[in-house]
Amino acid sequence: MRTLLRWAGENPKREGLVDTPARVVRSYEEFFTGYHLDPVELLSRSFEETDGYDEMVILRDIRLESHCEHHMVPIIGRAHIAYLPEGRVVGISKLARVLEIYAKRLQIQEKLTAQVANTLNDVLKPKGVAVVIEAGHQCMSTRGVHKPGVSMVTSRMLGAFRDDPSTRREFLAMISAPRGAFEG
Ligand SMILES: [Zn+2]
């Protein structure tokens, strides 16, 4: 960090910057904590006592904070995650945590979307998984082409969400339904 500060034209020894390298390291530890966490292990506790619940489970508008691997600047957005259980369900917070574990690594949005969907599919073995991510990339808004207000949308549909048009339609309708009635 001191080298970068000097390269930018700064004096790393001046008062305001003395502790900056240490602060940046602590920030990085937070931004990239996902490398130390295992999403498969996280999902290993699932529940079978669902009284036969076999409809879609959707978590929508999950806050997403990640960093692009090309420029190391923030990707901020939201994700919608759904699955169609096959006997087993997981605690809903686990869906958000899987996203977080992959998001707290250097990413491209396409890969992040696929990783979340593939992991849920591999571990839960549900009838299907759908992941949609909408996000703004600061490497597009604060540098380069300078286009703020643009969001990138990626999706990965597996199983029934890929093969059954009515399942896919139901999911897309649910994530675009009006907000506000139920959010705590
Ligand atoms: Zn970038």
Side-chain angles (χ1 to χ4, degrees), residues 68 70-71 139:
C68 97
H70 302 139
H71 306 94
C139 57

Side-chain angles (χ1 to χ4, degrees), residues 4-164:
L4 280 174
L5 286 168
R6 267 194 295 273
W7 172 82
E10 267 294 354
N11 168 17
K13 292 198 178 118
R14 74 174 173 83
E15 195 188 6
L17 292 176
V18 178
D19 297 327
T20 295
R23 284 194 205 96
V24 173
V25 168
R26 286 197 295 277
S27 300
Y28 273 34
E29 281 168 357
E30 199 175 314
F31 295 155
F32 304 119
T33 187
Y35 291 103
H36 310 294
L37 301 167
D38 180 4
V40 173
E41 189 191 314
L42 174 86
L43 287 170
S44 62
R45 262 196 68 208
S46 56
F47 308 93
E48 272 178 345
E49 290 176 7
T50 58
D51 277 14
Y53 183 89
D54 62 354
E55 296 293 331
M56 210 175 280
V57 176
I58 306 178
L59 210 56
R60 60 181 195 175
D61 297 332
I62 312 162
R63 163 90 175 177
L64 164 73
E65 297 171 359
S66 190
H67 286 80
C68 97
E69 68 182 22
H70 302 139
H71 306 94
M72 295 183 74
V73 294
I75 300 169
I76 304 288
R78 55 190 183 151
H80 316 287
I81 301 175
Y83 71 106
L84 204 51
E86 172 88 90
R88 304 192 73 82
V89 297
V90 281
I92 50 168
S93 66
K94 301 277 178 75
L95 300 179
R97 290 278 293 142
V98 169
L99 173 76
E100 190 178 70
I101 289 172
Y102 285 118
K104 296 221 174 285
R105 300 177 184 186
L106 287 171
Q107 279 292 0
I108 61 169
Q109 189 177 323
E110 296 90 330
K111 183 169 140 195
L112 173 62
T113 308
Q115 283 178 324
V116 173
N118 295 347
T119 302
L120 291 172
N121 199 49
D122 293 347
V123 182
L124 298 181
K125 306 203 183 325
K127 290 181 193 136
V129 174
V131 176
V132 171
I133 294 178
E134 316 163 34
H137 292 241
Q138 286 192 11
C139 57
M140 249 190 95
S141 58
T142 65
R143 56 162 294 288
V145 292
H146 292 277
K147 290 279 173 284
V150 177
S151 58
M152 176 169 169
V153 183
T154 47
S155 69
R156 181 155 176 88
M157 309 275 176
L158 299 171
F161 292 90
R162 172 171 283 200
D163 303 331
D164 179 357

